[in-house]
């Protein structure tokens, strides 16, 4: 990933209604040193983040991403981010994007251990080339996430609904999926229900219904999935959040992995079993997802 730009934010209090936050933003060398050795994001993964797709200089779904950043911060007992300040910072970084697809990451950490304030910064990089996944589809392997469906409600301290910087398990799952001959993983509960991919939401099509697992199951509520459901409802389709048996992934009429940067990647096989891919409809979905969206 080619880093293009980086910006450090001096976090303002969430209730600070200052009209101009530009003096709290500091451009830094994206390839140079930036964090102190006591920074808890690096030492313990103690922080939260969001990844925004940026298309032709326009960041996508800024409002939903900021809302999820605030939600993750609350779950992790981090200071509430000043969303007006973050919007100004996002606008500043977006001016460096130019044409094509880029990825912008918003990061909020607890800061230096025993320090006075959280650490916040934004990076901008070229987006990876997702053409193959969007057109040819992805093979997935289902992996047991190691808990039953009721665990998120019983153990909120596991932070299963927060987008934290602690992504070692997610990366390990992708590596395991590749060892099994797949491109990506899809997590399932120990009692047999569908969850999400390590870096994407899962959407199934059954007839004219589009279904995704309930966010209350300890998964991230995908911003791209939300936007796609609004589009599908406008096209006259039915959308639903449901408790989805894991076996339904291989029997659906079609299924996709959805994320802000990859967009819609059709699933072409599940645990080595080929499944249908609707390429024409996938092209339509990605055309929508590449259009300007707030």
């Amino acid at each position: 990933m080619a880093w293009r730009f980086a910006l450090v934010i001096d976090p303002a209090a969430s209730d600070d209604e200052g009209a101009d936050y530009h003096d709290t933003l500091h451009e830094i060398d994206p390839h140079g040193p930036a964090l102190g050795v006591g920074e808890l994001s690096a030492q313990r993964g103690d922080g939260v983040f969001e990844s925004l797709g940026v298309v032709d200089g326009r960041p996508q779904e800024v409002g939903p991403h900021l809302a999820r950043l605030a939600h993750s911060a609350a779950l992790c007992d981090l200071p509430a981010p000043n969303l007006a300040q973050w919007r100004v910072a996002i606008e500043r970084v977006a001016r460096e994007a130019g044409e094509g697809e880029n990825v912008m990451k918003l990061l909020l950490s607890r800061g230096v251990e025993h320090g006075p304030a959280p650490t916040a910064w934004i990076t901008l990089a070229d987006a990876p080339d997702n053409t193959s996944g969007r057109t040819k589809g992805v093979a997935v392997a289902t992996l047991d996430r190691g808990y039953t469906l009721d665990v998120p409600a019983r153990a909120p301290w596991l932070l299963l609904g927060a987008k934290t910087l602690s992504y070692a398990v997610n990366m390990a799952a992708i590596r395991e999926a590749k060892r099994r001959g797949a491109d990506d993983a899809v997590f399932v509960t120990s009692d047999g229900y569908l969850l999400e991919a390590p870096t994407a939401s899962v959407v199934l099509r059954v007839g004219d219904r589009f279904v995704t697992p309930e966010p209350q199951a300890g998964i991230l509520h995908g911003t791209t999935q939300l936007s796609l459901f609004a589009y599908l409802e406008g096209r006259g389709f039915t959308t639903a959040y449901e408790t989805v048996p894991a076996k339904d992934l291989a029997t659906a009429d079609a299924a996709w992995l959805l994320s802000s940067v990859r967009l819609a990647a059709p699933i072409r096989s599940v645990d080595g079993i080929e499944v249908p891919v609707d390429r024409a409809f996938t092209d339509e979905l990605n055309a929508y997802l590449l259009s300007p969206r707030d």
Side-chain angles (χ1 to χ4, degrees):
M1 185 176 292
W3 300 103
R4 303 266 303 275
F5 189 75
L7 193 73
V8 170
I9 303 170
D10 296 332
S14 60
D15 58 356
D16 180 352
E17 299 180 357
D20 187 355
Y21 297 102
H22 289 89
D23 60 351
T24 67
L25 312 178
H26 312 285
E27 180 181 345
I28 61 171
D29 181 352
H31 303 288
L35 301 176
V37 294
E39 170 60 44
L40 291 172
S41 61
Q43 288 199 8
R44 297 177 182 169
D46 193 358
V48 297
F49 78 102
E50 287 291 319
S51 295
L52 283 69
V54 184
V55 180
D56 296 333
R58 181 186 176 91
Q60 303 282 60
E61 300 162 345
V62 173
H65 277 290
L66 287 177
R68 195 169 65 179
L69 182 75
H71 176 68
S72 294
L75 290 176
C76 295
D77 295 320
L78 288 165
N82 183 308
L83 300 188
Q85 181 188 35
W86 280 89
R87 279 188 177 275
V88 172
I90 289 169
E91 291 170 0
R92 170 67 186 89
V93 176
R95 293 201 295 269
E96 306 294 327
E99 295 184 357
E101 294 184 52
N102 291 265
V103 55
M104 186 186 301
K105 288 196 174 182
L106 320 180
L107 302 102
L108 176 63
S109 133
R110 205 170 303 279
V112 176
E113 191 163 19
H114 309 305
T119 304
W121 69 103
I122 300 178
T123 62
L124 179 73
D126 295 337
D129 184 356
N130 289 295
T131 304
S132 177
R134 294 173 189 170
T135 56
K136 298 179 181 178
V138 292
V140 302
T142 56
L143 300 181
D144 187 345
R145 199 162 188 174
Y147 60 76
T148 55
L149 192 66
D150 63 342
V151 163
R154 291 193 289 108
W157 50 87
L158 295 178
L159 304 178
L160 295 172
K163 194 173 179 69
T164 72
L165 293 169
S166 304
Y167 252 48
V169 170
N170 301 58
M171 299 301 99
I174 294 173
R175 292 193 297 272
E176 176 61 24
K178 290 183 177 179
R179 280 191 286 269
R180 298 186 184 194
D183 303 307
D184 208 335
V186 171
F187 288 124
V188 300
T189 66
S190 297
D191 49 351
Y193 293 97
L194 192 65
L195 292 171
E196 61 187 345
T199 63
S201 304
V202 182
V203 170
L204 285 64
R205 180 175 186 173
V206 181
D208 285 340
R209 297 180 71 249
F210 290 81
V211 178
T212 196
E214 283 274 8
Q216 287 80 5
I219 62 178
L220 290 175
H221 200 168
T223 57
T224 306
Q225 172 265 309
L226 278 167
S227 181
L228 185 66
F229 269 23
Y231 170 75
L232 292 170
E233 290 159 10
R235 291 266 280 99
F237 295 106
T238 299
T239 65
Y241 297 91
E242 297 179 355
T243 300
V244 181
K247 61 180 178 58
D248 288 3
L249 183 60
T251 60
D253 294 324
W256 295 267
L257 299 185
L258 292 175
S259 66
S260 297
V261 178
R262 179 163 32 184
L263 305 182
I267 294 175
R268 70 170 187 270
S269 72
V270 179
D271 295 328
I273 300 172
E274 296 294 319
V275 296
V277 171
D278 189 335
R279 299 192 187 281
F281 195 70
T282 298
D283 289 344
E284 177 187 335
L285 299 184
N286 280 318
Y288 164 71
L289 293 171
L290 285 166
S291 67
R293 292 174 293 118
D294 289 326

